[in-house]
Amino acid sequence: MVVSCSSGANQLDLLNKENTLNEPLVNNKFVIYQALVRHFGNTHTTNKYYGSIEENGVGKFNDFTATALQELYDLGITHMWYTGVIEHATMTDYSAYGIKPDDPDVVKGRAGSPYAIKDYYDVCPDFAVDVSRRMQEFEQLIERTHQHKMKVIIDFIPNHVARTYYSDSKPDNVKDFGVDDDKTKQFLPANDFYYIPDSDFQVPGGYIPGGGEFYNVLKNGSFPESPAKATGNNVFSSSPAKDDWFETVKLNYGVDFQRNETKHFDPVPPLWFKMRDILLFWAGKGVDGFRCDMVEMVPVEFWAWVNDEVKKSHPDILFIGEAYNKQEYANFYTTGKFDFLYDKVGLYDTLKMLMRNDDYAGVRGIQDVWRNEVKGYSARMLRFLENHDEQRIASKDFAGDPFVAIPAMVLSATMATGPVMIYSGQEVGEPGIGHEGFGGEDGRTSIFDYWGVPQHQKWMNKGKFDGGLLAENEVRLRAFYKALFNIVKTEQSIQAGGFYDLMATQQVQPNFPNRIYAYLRYTHNERLLVIANFEKAVQNFTLILPDDVIQAFHMEGKQLVFKDLLGQEAITVNKFSNQIDLKLEANQAQILKF
């Protein structure tokens, strides 16, 4: 919308009201670094298909040294998301430490999925130098992270647990899930699990755990579970398929899925209290936030209740929800009281099409995201281009070139006041090559297998964390991320300023490039012009600023210097009227301060 303005500060206010994301001007500008602990510090380069922990190696909590954390802080990181912390089912045998072994027939990958939780009150023994002191080593990591001025996020997986769930570390007053269940009933509000009475669980046919090798426990194609429990992805059958989450069992929050999803929340189901106590347990150790897995598979009423319960004693704790249903965003914010939600099906999917250079992909899709899909909530959407679920940008399955991400990353980081995230290895162009085992050859870095991440290992440089083994172009890529994230941390207009979309004015130009996107971020004292070029070739074009912007910022007739914060040469315009001539290289972006 173009509006007429009269003067000064009121004009800025009117611009903000008429052409922004309608979000509160607050600083939610976190920069989150997701690091799968299993991979981060692993120096092994064997990378054998379905390799064991001894063959392929594993990262440790202690690999996040003071040097590593300082380098990440200098990169611009404010929050560390340590992925895979809580103990999960695995084929690695820790029975010598009193940990009950898991049946490989219900474990995916030699390492096991970090989302098949085996003990909510313990950490993964893989990550400890001294397994008997594994919790202390994690507590020391929390302390080190805080000392380096960053906060700690871990996963909370509320929808399902491993089929082999058994807590050997729970507090004395805590009962394991299902201990008091009436297993003769398919559903009872007081049960922790859903059951398939008079039926035994069947391991999916054709599943060959560990690539067919025998490892510690005989794999016999069966797992003793009678009666069978419902599977984590809402499969109410004793015979889930190989593509189901068959290694997990669904938790019961009081919803009867077999009877029209009727809700039984009064009295509060026992599971709610158990989950609250788990969250309080980790918050009590200094964890600052939770990335909550598959939040839409858990009733929003639980989230409302548990948010209030946890924030009574930890008011600053963060709840970040993995959500994919745009129609439910408002519900999870207003009712569920989430602090942030994933922006995957909106901005991520739109930017992926642009990065892949899909024929039909133009920048109008970006406008659709902020105008319609997340209107009113953009400051509370977590933006990213990679995470453990998504393909690596540099993979042949995605874009094949990590530099293609530059315009998309600039836009993700600066378009709104909400948080932005990168995945460990993204900043040095990790391509996700290799058939790791259960993870397969899919352009992702496997979460199921022991594996070394080659590009990340170059930056890690055998524990020096100085990038000493990176090639010149990889050093340049990481320097871009460092520059961008530090701009995010220091520029007030990005942290808490207004937003003004400039595309309505450009799109009436007959020759304006289809894949250029431009907008303003501003406060009363500062203004930035952000331009992203998603074209695969250099673009020469004229950017026109609308009259209300020129009047509000008192630009007409002035000599203006546009300084590129990303390092390109400044542009000087004498006696500015309403336009600026620009040249932008392929897959590049500029953040022009004026």
Side-chain angles (χ1 to χ4, degrees):
M1 176 185 295
V2 176
V3 294
S4 297
C5 305
S6 54
S7 64
N10 289 334
Q11 294 168 343
L12 284 172
D13 292 340
L14 186 56
L15 285 175
N16 184 54
K17 292 175 183 175
E18 294 294 335
N19 199 359
T20 76
L21 303 174
N22 296 319
E23 60 194 22
L25 300 185
V26 295
N27 185 6
N28 289 328
K29 207 63 190 178
F30 312 139
V31 182
I32 301 173
Y33 188 91
Q34 182 190 5
L36 188 60
V37 180
R38 179 184 299 156
H39 295 148
F40 182 87
N42 185 15
T43 59
H44 284 57
T45 58
T46 306
N47 283 356
K48 175 185 175 182
Y49 175 67
Y50 268 118
S52 68
I53 190 171
E54 293 83 6
E55 293 166 323
N56 283 357
V58 70
K60 306 289 183 181
F61 293 131
N62 288 358
D63 292 326
F64 293 90
T65 62
T67 300
L69 292 171
Q70 185 62 48
E71 286 294 323
L72 291 170
Y73 177 79
D74 291 344
L75 181 65
I77 304 305
T78 63
H79 291 60
M80 291 295 300
W81 169 14
Y82 295 117
T83 304
V85 166
I86 300 178
E87 184 183 355
H88 44 274
T90 179
M91 293 187 195
T92 302
D93 186 358
Y94 288 100
S95 57
Y97 297 91
I99 299 173
K100 187 177 179 181
D102 302 298
D103 188 323
D105 288 294
V106 286
V107 177
K108 290 180 177 177
R110 290 290 282 267
S113 168
Y115 295 93
I117 297 301
K118 175 182 178 174
D119 186 349
Y120 266 119
Y121 288 98
D122 206 350
V123 296
C124 176
D126 280 351
F127 304 161
V129 174
D130 180 350
V131 175
S132 65
R133 298 187 70 256
R134 56 192 179 275
M135 185 62 79
Q136 291 95 320
E137 290 186 21
F138 177 59
E139 291 167 347
Q140 290 165 0
L141 174 57
I142 295 174
E143 183 178 355
R144 283 198 305 280
T145 306
H146 288 161
Q147 287 172 349
H148 285 83
K149 304 176 186 177
M150 295 181 290
K151 295 189 176 182
V152 172
I153 297 170
I154 66 170
D155 288 282
F156 174 55
I157 300 93
N159 176 68
H160 50 269
V161 294
R163 283 216 123 83
T164 53
Y165 189 93
Y166 176 81
S167 177
D168 50 37
S169 299
K170 62 185 181 295
D172 292 339
N173 62 334
V174 172
K175 292 183 178 180
D176 262 346
F177 297 117
V179 168
D180 296 326
D181 283 5
D182 181 348
K183 299 179 182 179
T184 66
K185 300 293 193 298
Q186 183 273 332
F187 168 82
L188 280 178
N191 279 358
D192 292 332
F193 297 120
Y194 298 93
Y195 295 92
I196 298 93
D198 304 318
S199 184
D200 296 339
F201 172 75
Q202 302 296 316
V203 175
Y207 179 59
I208 305 174
E213 296 183 14
F214 289 89
Y215 187 71
N216 291 334
V217 181
L218 181 66
K219 304 176 180 71
N220 56 13
S222 66
F223 175 70
E225 183 180 281
S226 183
K229 302 181 183 77
T231 292
N233 58 324
N234 292 0
V235 174
F236 295 88
S237 165
S238 60
S239 304
K242 189 164 58 173
D243 292 334
D244 289 321
W245 305 347
F246 68 85
E247 81 280 21
T248 69
V249 290
K250 174 83 174 178
L251 289 167
N252 170 22
Y253 284 82
V255 180
D256 189 348
F257 286 93
Q258 305 294 80
R259 293 179 178 83
N260 299 317
E261 299 189 19
T262 54
K263 298 178 178 180
H264 302 264
F265 301 154
D266 188 11
V268 174
L271 182 70
W272 291 26
F273 292 101
K274 293 179 181 180
M275 287 304 194
R276 176 202 63 186
D277 293 346
I278 288 164
L279 288 165
L280 289 171
F281 173 82
W282 292 105
K285 290 189 176 296
V287 167
D288 302 291
F290 299 97
R291 178 270 187 190
C292 302
D293 189 66
M294 299 303 296
V295 299
E296 292 155 338
M297 299 186 78
V298 172
V300 69
E301 293 87 349
F302 164 75
W303 293 115
W305 178 86
V306 83
N307 260 282
D308 285 343
E309 289 286 303
V310 173
K311 289 184 177 180
K312 287 177 185 176
S313 54
H314 300 276
D316 295 326
I317 206 87
L318 294 178
F319 282 86
I320 302 171
E322 179 195 14
Y324 300 105
N325 184 352
K326 292 177 284 190
Q327 284 68 43
E328 288 297 312
Y329 286 170
N331 193 25
F332 276 91
Y333 282 129
T334 56
T335 302
K337 303 179 182 179
F338 271 90
D339 297 292
F340 305 100
L341 296 176
Y342 271 32
D343 191 3
K344 192 275 180 191
V345 296
L347 192 61
Y348 170 87
D349 285 348
T350 300
L351 294 176
K352 184 173 184 179
M353 289 190 294
L354 283 163
M355 285 187 284
R356 288 167 57 93
N357 204 26
D358 291 344
D359 290 340
Y360 53 87
V363 297
R364 289 184 186 273
I366 300 171
Q367 292 173 294
D368 290 340
V369 171
W370 71 260
R371 282 176 174 166
N372 304 313
E373 296 178 7
V374 299
K375 189 173 184 179
Y377 298 107
S378 190
R380 296 172 64 182
M381 301 300 294
L382 172 61
R383 271 56 190 253
F384 55 84
L385 297 182
E386 285 189 2
N387 64 40
H388 67 276
D389 285 320
E390 308 300 339
Q391 292 169 326
R392 294 286 193 172
I393 297 161
S395 74
K396 58 181 175 57
D397 304 275
F398 192 151
D401 178 0
F403 286 91
V404 169
I406 286 177
M409 200 68 231
V410 168
L411 194 145
S412 296
T414 67
M415 187 175 177
T417 59
V420 64
M421 178 176 76
I422 66 164
Y423 187 30
S424 177
Q426 176 184 341
E427 72 276 28
V428 289
E430 170 57 34
I433 295 172
H435 194 165
E436 305 102 333
F438 187 85
E441 182 81 55
D442 59 2
R444 297 173 177 84
T445 301
S446 174
I447 65 170
F448 305 98
D449 306 285
Y450 297 113
W451 199 254
V453 183
Q455 289 297 103
H456 171 74
Q457 288 175 333
K458 291 182 183 180
W459 170 72
M460 190 168 58
N461 193 14
K462 300 179 180 179
K464 295 179 183 178
F465 299 101
D466 60 1
L469 300 177
L470 292 173
E472 182 179 351
N473 66 323
E474 295 156 357
V475 171
R476 182 161 50 90
L477 181 67
R478 193 174 189 277
F480 155 74
Y481 279 94
K482 184 175 184 178
L484 176 63
F485 293 147
N486 279 283
I487 290 168
V488 164
K489 285 175 67 173
T490 57
E491 294 296 322
Q492 185 67 19
S493 58
I494 293 175
Q495 294 174 355
F499 169 92
Y500 190 107
D501 185 285
L502 294 170
M503 296 311 297
T505 306
Q506 317 316 314
Q507 287 161 350
V508 299
Q509 297 188 60
N511 298 317
F512 194 81
N514 183 45
R515 291 191 174 100
I516 293 283
Y517 194 79
Y519 52 91
L520 295 168
R521 296 299 311 277
Y522 63 90
T523 65
H524 287 278
N525 301 314
E526 170 180 300
R527 49 208 48 59
L528 301 177
L529 170 60
V530 184
I531 315 107
N533 177 21
F534 293 94
E535 297 281 5
K536 305 305 177 188
V538 62
Q539 298 296 309
N540 293 280
F541 57 97
T542 298
L543 190 78
I544 298 175
L545 297 186
D547 291 343
D548 55 343
V549 169
I550 294 169
Q551 294 169 18
F553 294 145
H554 308 293
M555 300 170 69
E556 188 169 6
K558 301 283 183 66
Q559 182 186 68
L560 298 179
V561 178
F562 295 83
K563 178 184 178 183
D564 184 12
L565 299 183
L566 288 173
Q568 298 185 45
E569 289 185 9
I571 301 168
T572 301
V573 180
N574 294 307
K575 294 184 179 181
F576 187 87
S577 57
N578 69 341
Q579 65 188 46
I580 176 173
D581 294 326
L582 294 167
K583 177 182 178 180
L584 206 52
E585 300 294 331
N587 298 315
Q588 289 297 316
Q590 291 181 319
I591 303 174
L592 301 175
K593 191 169 186 176
F594 66 99

